[in-house]
Amino acid sequence: MRFLLLLLITLSSVLPQKTFAQETEKEETIATLNAKKEEVVQKEKEALKIEVLAINKRFENGELTEEEATILKKEAAKKHARNIEDKLAILESKIDLLERNETDLDDDSIFGIFIGKDKVTLGSGDKEEVVYDRRTTSDIVLGIGFNNAIIDGQSLNDSPYKIGGSRFFELGLAWKTRVFDNTNFLRLKYGFSFQFNGLKIDDNQYLVEQGDQTVLETFPLDLDKSKFRMDHLVFPVHFEIGPSTKKVHDDYFRYSTHNQFKLGLGGYAGFNLLTIQKLKYEENGEDRKDKFKQNFNTNNFIYGLSGYIAFGDTALYVKYDLNTIFKNNPVEQRNFSVGLRFDMD
């Protein structure tokens, strides 16, 4: 009984204090929301003023006729008036809820209502900062197509490498940065890529190291497959040109090259990671698969030229190694590739 009495006394003293604290917090929240109503109106008026000044500037520069400028001003005034109306309605609803004591949501509630820079969002209290001008973006680069070698004194018709069976694959990450402040016509594109360049050898031949040279010799058995592959890590850099659309919002703007023509010219440099030759044949009635991971006297430092012509995210892609495939061969061979490139930004 003594314990129950003490508990009742404690609760009777604590609960009124908690209720008073809640009431005080609610009143402070309502006052804050009322102050935000004034802030909303002022911000929208200031945003409208900035937009009208920009329209007037375009009119003075001859980019707009007087009629076009008037229409844009009316549309801007209508937009910001609706912004004020919608934002005030949200704030009034929250104030009504608090006054009816149906909820004690505060500004940091997980389902709270937040007024950011000229926008209203519903959801988590974590506010994502909006970058006004994002000059650099990133995307995944994927390339695939045909691979072969340019050999001194030989045409592709005389090449020891099959045109249809020799392929390349590229996967990388690229960043694109706008070069100038007020136009997106010129961009710098740079990053890193893994390139896999394959050469399918014809006429039952395979590569053999003879001292510091690498030559083709006829295999003693019938080859079902003879393939030579070079895996590279390269760092491409391209200057990209082409039109873009500018999307202007209240608190940020972006340039978009979606469904636009693009031309990229540049080059790359990097390193040879792996050189491998695969042979597939039949011996004594059994299928054999041999893999030879060795240097084959290939160049370890890779560099070359590359370019692409694109519409949207798909491009015709060409790359050409300026370094020779093999270091000391009397006849120089240089790898080149033609295919499609996909920039998924």
Side-chain angles (χ1 to χ4, degrees):
M1 289 292 295
R2 183 176 297 177
F3 172 76
L4 290 175
L5 182 60
L6 289 173
L7 180 61
L8 288 173
I9 294 173
T10 303
L11 290 175
S12 64
S13 61
V14 170
L15 287 177
Q17 294 178 10
K18 183 176 181 181
T19 302
F20 177 76
Q22 288 178 338
E23 286 295 325
T24 303
E25 183 179 357
K26 184 178 74 173
E27 291 175 3
E28 291 176 353
T29 302
I30 291 173
T32 300
L33 292 173
N34 281 318
K36 281 187 177 181
K37 288 163 63 176
E38 293 295 327
E39 184 181 343
V40 164
V41 175
Q42 287 301 118
K43 282 189 174 182
E44 288 296 331
K45 286 182 177 180
E46 187 64 28
L48 175 60
K49 181 180 178 181
I50 293 172
E51 199 165 340
V52 169
L53 288 173
I55 294 171
N56 288 336
K57 186 69 174 178
R58 293 175 64 190
F59 172 67
E60 293 171 1
N61 293 337
E63 299 176 16
L64 298 171
T65 64
E66 185 175 358
E67 183 180 357
E68 290 172 335
T70 301
I71 292 173
L72 289 176
K73 290 177 187 178
K74 288 182 179 179
E75 291 176 350
K78 187 184 297 184
K79 177 184 72 175
H80 289 286
R82 290 191 63 182
N83 286 350
I84 292 174
E85 183 180 349
D86 291 343
K87 293 175 182 179
L88 291 182
I90 292 173
L91 291 170
E92 288 288 354
S93 296
K94 190 169 183 182
I95 291 171
D96 289 342
L97 284 172
L98 288 171
E99 288 177 341
R100 290 198 303 270
N101 202 31
E102 292 180 5
T103 180
D104 59 352
L105 292 175
D106 57 34
D107 285 343
D108 294 322
S109 169
I110 191 168
F111 293 108
I113 300 173
F114 304 93
I115 306 243
K117 294 170 63 178
D118 301 325
K119 66 176 180 178
V120 176
T121 59
L122 300 176
S124 170
D126 296 331
K127 301 179 183 179
E128 182 179 353
E129 183 180 356
V130 177
V131 179
Y132 181 71
D133 178 12
R134 192 185 299 276
R135 295 188 65 163
T136 299
T137 58
S138 62
D139 55 71
I140 297 172
V141 175
L142 175 66
I144 188 169
F146 298 107
N147 194 67
N148 217 287
I150 299 292
I151 304 175
D152 282 356
Q154 293 185 12
S155 66
L156 282 178
N157 291 329
D158 302 323
S159 174
Y161 310 116
K162 292 183 180 180
I163 295 177
S166 302
R167 301 182 183 92
F168 86 95
F169 178 78
E170 180 175 339
L171 179 65
L173 185 63
W175 288 267
K176 183 166 60 179
T177 299
R178 189 173 83 246
V179 175
F180 300 112
D181 288 334
N182 300 316
T183 176
N184 194 45
F185 186 75
L186 177 63
R187 288 89 66 177
L188 182 65
K189 196 153 191 172
Y190 50 94
F192 65 90
S193 290
F194 293 97
Q195 294 179 352
F196 308 91
N197 302 305
L199 294 171
K200 195 169 186 180
I201 305 172
D202 205 357
D203 296 331
N204 209 62
Q205 297 184 98
Y206 73 119
L207 289 168
V208 178
E209 287 186 69
Q210 291 184 352
D212 60 355
Q213 295 185 11
T214 301
V215 298
L216 286 168
E217 290 187 357
T218 302
F219 196 70
L221 300 172
D222 290 332
L223 285 170
D224 295 323
K225 179 180 180 181
S226 177
K227 194 162 187 178
F228 179 66
R229 196 186 78 213
M230 299 162 288
D231 299 348
H232 302 154
L233 169 63
V234 298
F235 301 90
V237 178
H238 293 95
F239 281 102
E240 183 181 280
I241 61 173
S244 60
T245 56
K246 186 176 182 180
K247 299 180 180 180
V248 180
H249 299 268
D250 290 341
D251 54 353
Y252 71 95
F253 75 89
R254 297 288 184 268
Y255 286 100
S256 173
T257 57
H258 181 65
N259 288 338
Q260 298 284 351
F261 168 81
K262 305 170 190 174
L263 173 64
L265 296 173
Y268 52 90
F271 308 97
N272 186 10
L273 300 177
L274 175 67
T275 307
I276 183 171
Q277 181 170 226
K278 297 180 181 180
L279 302 178
K280 184 178 179 181
Y281 56 95
E282 185 178 317
E283 185 179 33
N284 298 325
E286 295 184 0
D287 292 333
R288 293 285 305 272
K289 294 181 180 179
D290 294 340
K291 292 183 180 180
F292 303 96
K293 296 180 180 179
Q294 56 197 66
N295 182 260
F296 288 99
N297 295 312
T298 54
N299 273 299
N300 294 322
F301 181 61
I302 310 301
Y303 59 99
L305 302 174
S306 57
Y308 55 89
I309 299 175
F311 183 79
D313 296 334
T314 305
L316 176 64
Y317 180 42
V318 178
K319 61 184 183 70
Y320 174 67
D321 288 356
L322 294 176
N323 61 280
T324 57
I325 297 176
F326 306 108
K327 285 186 282 192
N328 300 306
N329 280 18
V331 179
E332 295 183 346
Q333 301 183 34
R334 290 177 172 83
N335 195 81
F336 80 95
S337 308
V338 178
L340 295 178
R341 172 185 169 120
F342 306 93
D343 289 40
M344 293 165 279
D345 55 354

